[in-house]
């Protein structure tokens, strides 16, 4: 059996895998894969076990900080998308600052796995406003795990933010930050106390309801869920039906995973009223992005949302 | 039968004619045993087809170890044969499944023989020439790779034979290609030139598009580049020892013991040693105490030609991953064959525990079990394992077998009890479907 590979055309077809060999973006993951499974850990700056806080603070240089958290699913169902996201998120800071979409962005990246089955189910870096973001992206362990149950530990990350994230934006100015989940599956049925103890080290004794954790998250954060194509469940209605009640119109489907940073930047710019969709797409075109079409399509439902005040449209509940 | 202590290496071996869920079992073990450090492929070559299903992901592993989706690295140890071009194809498939830098997961023995497109063409030429009298070859050039290396080693001349392969031309004086030689382009081109010259008369005798060859330089370029992307090690024993010192190492067998070159039903066998006898002896000599896990389905299968005493053409047991192969022949199913199973265990040199898969078929069909052939529970004498001469009697006996049937127990637990009592070996693993989540360990980490 096997394939039927008897000439070198098969080798030519493997160009992408050949190019990936020795890619420094994969250095940390490769180091981990050379260890027995149970010795694999998150890089120190991304380790969540025993972590007490993640802070986004104002400074003289950045007096009006905007905290932005981007957490992407790195389980196997995501296929090659985590590698794409890992590469593209390095562009996010530049997109936000060049476009003037928000004040003093501080970005914290992280990776989500399966808290029931994976060796490293949660990695969350630090809020950064310089190229230390790139370093943390390279140090993410792309475990490629998952339990095969179409559910991952997103809500454990939400619990982490609820209990650890401290932002001057909220504390001093009452301004919400941004959380983007990039994934293709549903939440586990609950935030398991067992997982919280194992992964974070908190002495939690009872499971938490997923809805409650996201409600709490929404108080301080604009929460988005991005479902990119080329993953396993892009066309599965169950995923959207699960997330709609949790994040409402902030459920975004993205045809082109390479446009993930573009999408996040425009979403923030539109929420901050710095741009409208048309202007944002023009900015992308000027910057040479090839993902404009996909980003535009992803944002149509969000652009058409009822805007509470000042947006020229009355809220739905009036 | 002994309990497995943590960290003890595990040797996974098929007790049938292949397709005993070796891939799914290795994936499951690598997921369940926390300190899994590596999967070692040690037999066969690129013709393996080990299926792993987890959630939305499925891959048929050929040369990468079946722990790959769980991020467990692969060590390819001679006598496994390496086909670098199909390795590149497999790496590309794995990348799409979310395995980053698949080549970074591979360490290959410098002594491993290399299967090239020339070997594959020779394999196909021979099967085309055999016509209806096919041997059930996969058409992947594995036998040709072994046969050519043996012919080179014995300086065979035209008219000699190597195993059951007639030598159709004088064998060149230059050595057969190994992974270590791929470090040098000149050495690679030299070895390929010699091989292509040797293959020419055979390929010319078959006028068929499947046996056309590309220029040697084109082949050399591809092979050398692939070898440069992975780790090729000269001291494989030290490398495997280091892996075993760090955690549990799973040795993933290929095919099934009943296809072994010295214990199978010759000539319907493979050009490879499938029994783990030598591997286990090597590991013991190095101070390790391997746990041998033998695998069987709850019924019998065979892919391709050759004796299969309990074959039942009226059984409707389709297989999602196995279809009729162009060179390999038909997919065949039949009933659980206890004389064959006991023989396979003996041929394997004994097993510590058994894994039983496809228990979801139990109770859905009128499945039978053969306790004996013509009243004899153990009709197959164990050969000495040194030559093919005594295998003719074995093949004759298997071909003429008249199995004594009774109904297979109607529940999975009943089947597991039956296998335990018929073999004297504990069933330690049970599977009722293709997914990782369909499997269960009957004792934690095989430590019962």
């Amino acid at each position: 059996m096997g394939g039927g590979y008897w000439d070198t055309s098969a080798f030519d077809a493997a160009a992408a895998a050949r190019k990936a060999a020795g890619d420094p973006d994969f250095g940390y993951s490769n180091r981990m894969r050379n260890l027995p499974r149970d010795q694999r850990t998150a890089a120190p700056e991304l380790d969540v076990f025993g972590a007490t806080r993640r802070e986004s603070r104002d400074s003289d240089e950045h007096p009006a900080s905007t905290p932005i958290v981007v957490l992407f699913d790195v389980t196997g169902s995501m296929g090659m998308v985590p590698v794409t996201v890992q590469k593209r998120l390095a562009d996010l800071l530049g997109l936000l600052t060049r476009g003037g979409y928000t004040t003093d962005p501080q970005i914290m990246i992280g990776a989500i796995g399966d808290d029931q089955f994976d060796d490293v189910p949660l990695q969350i870096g630090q809020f950064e406003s310089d190229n230390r973001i790139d370093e943390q992206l390279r140090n993410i362990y792309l475990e490629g795990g998952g339990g095969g149950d179409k559910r991952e530990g997103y809500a454990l990350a939400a619990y982490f933010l609820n209990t650890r994230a401290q932002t001057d934006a909220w504390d001093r100015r009452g301004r919400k930050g941004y959380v983007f989940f990039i994934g293709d599956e549903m939440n586990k049925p609950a935030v398991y106390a067992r997982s919280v103890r194992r992964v974070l080290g908190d002495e939690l004794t009872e499971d938490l309801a997923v809805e409650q954790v996201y409600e709490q998250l929404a108080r301080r954060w604009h929460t988005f869920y991005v479902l990119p194509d080329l993953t396993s469940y892009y066309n599965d209605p169950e995923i959207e039906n699960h997330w709609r009640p949790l994040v409402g119109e902030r459920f975004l489907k993205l045809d082109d995973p390479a446009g993930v940073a573009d999408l996040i930047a425009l979403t923030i710019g539109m929420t901050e009223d710095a741009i409208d969709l048309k202007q944002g797409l023009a900015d992308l075109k000027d910057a040479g992005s090839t993902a404009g079409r996909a980003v535009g399509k992803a944002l149509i439902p969000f652009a058409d949302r009822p805007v509470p005040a000042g947006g020229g449209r009355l809220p739905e509940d009036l | 039968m002994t309990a497995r202590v943590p960290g003890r290496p595990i040797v996974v071996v098929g007790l049938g004619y292949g397709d005993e869920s070796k891939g799914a079992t290795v994936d499951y073990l690598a997921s369940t045993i926390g300190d899994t450090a590596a999967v070692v492929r040690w037999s066969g070559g690129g013709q393996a087809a080990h299926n792993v299903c987890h959630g939305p992901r499925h891959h048929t592993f050929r040369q990468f170890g079946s722990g790959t989706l769980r991020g467990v690295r692969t060590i390819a140890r001679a006598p496994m044969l390496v086909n670098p071009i199909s390795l590149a194809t497999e790496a590309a498939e794995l990348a799409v499944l979310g395995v980053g830098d698949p080549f970074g997961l591979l360490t290959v023995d410098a002594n491993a023989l290399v299967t090239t497109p020339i070997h594959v063409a020779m394999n196909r030429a021979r099967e085309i020439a055999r016509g209806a009298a096919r041997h059930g070859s996969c058409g992947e050039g594995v036998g040709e790779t072994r046969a050519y290396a043996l012919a080179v080693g014995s300086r065979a001349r035209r008219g000699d034979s190597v195993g059951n392969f007639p030598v159709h031309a004088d064998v060149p004086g230059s050595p057969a290609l190994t992974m270590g030689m791929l470090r040098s382009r000149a050495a690679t081109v030299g070895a390929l030139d010699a091989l292509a010259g040797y293959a020419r008369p055979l390929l010319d005798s078959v006028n068929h598009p499947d046996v056309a060859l590309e220029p040697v330089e084109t082949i050399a370029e591809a092979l050398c580049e692939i070898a440069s992307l992975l780790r090729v090690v000269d001291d494989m024993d030290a490398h495997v020892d280091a892996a075993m010192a760090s955690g549990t190492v799973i040795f993933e067998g290929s095919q099934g013991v009943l296809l072994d070159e010295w214990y199978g039903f010759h000539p319907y066998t493979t050009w490879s040693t499938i029994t783990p006898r030598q591997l286990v002896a090597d590991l013991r000599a190095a101070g390790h105490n391997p746990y041998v896990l033998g695998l069987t389905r709850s019924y019998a299968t065979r892919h391709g030609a050759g004796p299969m005493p309990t074959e039942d053409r009226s059984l409707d047991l389709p297989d999602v991953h196995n279809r009729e192969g162009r060179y390999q022949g038909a997919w065949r199913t039949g009933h659980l064959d206890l004389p064959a199973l006991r023989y396979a265990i003996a041929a394997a040199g004994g097993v510590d525990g058994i894994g039983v898969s496809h228990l979801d078929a139990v109770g859905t069909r009128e499945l039978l079990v053969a306790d004996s052939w013509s009243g004899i529970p153990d009709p197959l004498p164990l050969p000495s394992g040194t030559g093919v001469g005594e295998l003719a009697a074995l093949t004759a006996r298997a071909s003429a077998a008249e199995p004594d049937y009774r109904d297979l127990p109607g529940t999975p637990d009943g089947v597991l009890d039956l296998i335990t009592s018929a073999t004297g070996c504990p069933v330690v693993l049970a599977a009722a479907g293709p997914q990782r989540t369909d499997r269960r360990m009957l004792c934690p980490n095989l430590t019962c």
Side-chain angles (χ1 to χ4, degrees):
Chain A
M1 268 192 313
Y5 319 109
W6 58 287
D7 65 25
T8 56
S9 61
F11 162 78
D12 296 335
R18 285 154 52 203
K19 210 166 136 241
D23 185 338
D25 279 355
F26 211 71
Y28 187 80
S29 294
N30 247 342
R31 282 211 298 288
M32 288 302 106
R33 299 192 307 189
N34 279 302
L35 295 172
R37 276 207 304 104
D38 56 7
Q39 291 176 29
R40 300 175 188 180
T41 56
E45 68 273 25
L46 290 147
D47 199 353
V48 292
F49 186 84
T52 53
R53 63 176 78 89
R54 292 287 194 264
E55 295 171 299
S56 165
R57 296 299 183 204
D58 297 341
S59 64
D60 292 344
E61 206 185 337
H62 303 292
S65 57
T66 305
I68 298 160
V69 184
V70 184
L71 305 166
F72 58 107
D73 183 340
V74 294
T75 62
S77 68
M78 294 286 287
M80 290 175 92
V81 170
V83 176
T84 306
V85 172
Q86 185 193 26
K87 287 192 187 299
R88 295 295 171 156
L89 281 182
D91 304 337
L92 180 58
L93 186 65
L95 285 164
L96 290 167
T97 48
R98 272 197 307 275
Y101 294 163
T102 186
T103 56
D104 302 330
Q106 295 194 349
I107 299 174
M108 178 164 82
I109 52 99
I112 290 167
D114 187 309
D115 51 286
Q116 291 178 292
F117 295 96
D118 290 358
D119 298 321
V120 187
L122 185 61
Q123 306 167 71
I124 294 186
Q126 314 286 332
F127 285 102
E128 307 285 3
S129 48
D130 56 30
N131 60 11
R132 276 173 290 190
I133 301 165
D134 306 5
E135 204 174 302
Q136 288 173 26
L137 281 168
R138 272 198 299 275
N139 281 345
I140 281 184
Y141 171 42
L142 299 171
E143 179 167 354
D149 55 355
K150 219 198 278 188
R151 295 175 181 275
E152 308 297 358
Y154 308 105
L156 183 64
Y159 169 86
F160 180 91
L161 294 176
N162 287 341
T163 52
R164 267 75 170 177
Q166 297 177 6
T167 72
D168 280 347
W170 180 259
D171 293 345
R172 293 184 178 179
R173 294 183 294 283
R175 281 174 57 85
K176 287 186 180 187
Y178 293 86
V179 178
F180 290 85
F181 291 96
I182 302 161
D184 73 330
E185 296 176 274
M186 300 178 286
N187 288 284
K188 295 283 179 183
V191 175
Y192 296 119
R194 194 178 51 239
S195 295
V196 171
R197 291 196 300 269
R198 176 175 84 95
V199 180
L200 304 181
D202 285 6
E203 290 304 320
L204 196 69
T205 51
E206 282 185 26
D207 295 351
L208 303 174
V210 166
E211 297 74 15
Q212 190 188 322
V213 170
Y214 282 101
E215 262 169 43
Q216 193 183 342
L217 187 70
R219 278 178 223 149
R220 289 196 291 151
W221 304 88
H222 300 291
T223 307
F224 294 83
Y225 187 87
V226 179
L227 171 59
D229 199 1
L230 308 183
T231 56
S232 297
Y233 299 113
Y234 186 65
N235 294 311
D236 185 338
E238 199 181 1
I239 307 303
E240 181 165 352
N241 293 340
H242 173 88
W243 282 101
R244 282 277 177 208
L246 296 173
V247 300
E249 76 279 359
R250 297 191 173 98
F251 175 89
L252 309 176
K253 282 182 79 171
L254 179 62
D255 284 349
D256 179 1
V260 66
D262 299 335
L263 175 67
I264 291 172
L266 261 58
T267 307
I268 292 172
M270 287 162 63
T271 310
E272 297 277 318
D273 265 339
I275 45 166
D276 59 18
L277 180 56
K278 197 174 154 198
Q279 195 181 337
L281 292 174
D283 288 353
L284 289 186
K285 200 175 171 192
D286 291 346
S289 166
T290 55
R293 231 175 69 96
V295 170
K297 189 176 157 200
L299 281 172
I300 287 170
F302 182 66
D304 290 345
R305 73 199 186 283
V307 177
R313 193 191 293 236
L314 291 172
E316 270 177 341
D317 55 350
L318 278 186
Chain B
M1 280 151 286
T2 41
R4 178 185 164 274
V5 295
R8 195 176 160 192
I10 301 169
V11 177
V12 175
V13 58
L15 297 174
Y17 307 92
D19 301 298
E20 308 93 345
S21 298
K22 291 177 292 293
T25 301
V26 168
D27 168 78
Y28 173 74
L29 292 175
S31 309
T32 314
I33 298 173
D35 73 344
T36 299
V39 170
V40 179
R41 277 287 308 272
W42 51 277
S43 67
Q47 87 282 42
H50 296 174
N51 287 289
V52 172
C53 298
H54 183 57
R57 300 202 286 176
H58 166 244
H59 182 71
T60 304
F61 286 96
R62 281 95 71 187
Q63 296 183 83
F64 278 81
S66 296
T68 301
L69 293 186
R70 201 58 194 81
V72 174
R73 68 198 193 91
T74 299
I75 301 172
R77 172 191 187 267
M80 183 195 170
L81 311 177
V82 177
N83 181 334
I85 290 176
S86 73
L87 200 56
T89 310
E90 188 171 3
E93 293 168 18
L94 288 166
V96 172
L97 288 180
V99 178
D101 185 7
F103 287 109
L105 280 168
L106 282 173
T107 307
V108 178
D109 197 331
N111 294 316
L113 289 169
V114 176
T115 298
T116 70
I118 304 174
H119 296 105
V120 177
M122 290 167 73
N123 185 173
R124 292 179 178 195
R126 238 184 267 272
E127 288 288 321
I128 289 165
R130 278 186 196 128
R134 283 177 185 177
H135 288 183
S137 160
C138 296
E140 298 290 330
V142 170
E144 296 292 341
T145 310
R146 275 288 307 281
Y148 179 69
L150 289 170
V152 167
S154 66
R155 292 293 178 107
R157 315 285 300 171
R158 180 165 187 218
D160 292 354
S161 57
V162 174
N164 56 333
F165 283 17
V167 175
H168 52 269
D170 290 355
V171 170
S174 46
L177 192 61
T178 61
M179 284 303 294
M181 288 164 69
L182 295 181
R183 292 166 179 147
S184 156
R185 198 188 150 100
T188 304
V189 169
L192 288 174
D193 266 336
L195 173 63
Y198 172 75
R200 185 57 59 199
L202 173 64
L203 301 185
D204 287 348
S205 71
V206 178
N207 183 21
H208 198 282
D210 272 13
V211 303
L213 281 192
E214 292 175 290
V216 159
E217 289 73 19
T218 308
I219 300 172
E221 191 177 339
L223 297 180
C224 292
E225 190 199 314
I226 296 163
S228 75
L229 301 178
L230 41 87
R231 187 152 43 146
V232 180
V233 297
D234 292 300
D235 191 346
M236 181 45 82
D237 286 346
H239 189 81
V240 174
D241 266 345
M244 283 192 283
S246 71
T248 297
V249 172
I250 302 169
F251 292 83
E252 178 174 3
S254 65
Q255 301 145 295
V257 164
L258 297 177
L259 297 172
D260 182 90
E261 58 186 337
W262 306 123
Y263 291 92
F265 304 137
H266 183 80
Y268 305 99
T269 55
T270 179
W271 278 79
S272 179
T273 292
I274 304 306
T275 79
R277 286 166 174 264
Q278 187 61 47
L279 174 69
V280 167
D282 289 352
L283 290 171
R284 288 201 178 124
H288 301 286
N289 182 22
Y291 181 99
V292 181
L293 175 66
L295 302 180
T296 178
R297 290 194 185 204
S298 63
Y299 52 91
T301 72
R302 179 161 192 155
H303 207 161
M308 184 183 180
T310 57
E311 180 174 17
D312 182 346
R313 283 164 201 262
S314 71
L315 265 185
D316 175 31
L317 286 165
D319 197 272
V320 282
H321 304 307
N322 278 289
R323 297 185 306 276
E324 180 143 335
R326 181 161 175 198
Y327 291 93
Q328 196 174 10
W331 171 248
R332 304 154 67 193
T333 52
H335 302 286
L336 184 62
D337 188 346
L338 294 176
L341 181 62
R342 283 189 292 261
Y343 171 77
I345 291 169
V351 300
D352 296 293
I354 296 181
V356 182
S357 68
H358 294 78
L359 288 162
D360 45 333
V362 173
T364 67
R365 305 283 194 293
E366 289 186 9
L367 289 171
L368 306 173
V369 53
D371 290 305
S372 53
W373 298 350
S374 304
I376 307 169
D378 291 297
L380 296 171
L382 195 67
S384 62
T386 52
V388 296
E390 52 191 325
L391 296 180
L394 205 65
T395 306
R397 211 166 278 200
S399 302
E402 288 180 21
D404 307 308
Y405 289 114
R406 65 185 161 103
D407 289 342
L408 189 72
T411 64
D413 283 348
V415 173
L416 301 185
D417 289 345
L418 167 72
I419 289 175
T420 297
S421 65
T423 61
C425 299
V427 174
V428 294
L429 220 139
Q435 292 274 337
R436 186 188 292 164
T437 45
D438 293 327
R439 326 196 96 72
R440 65 196 163 102
M441 202 96 79
L442 302 177
C443 47
N445 291 352
L446 304 181
T447 48
C448 61

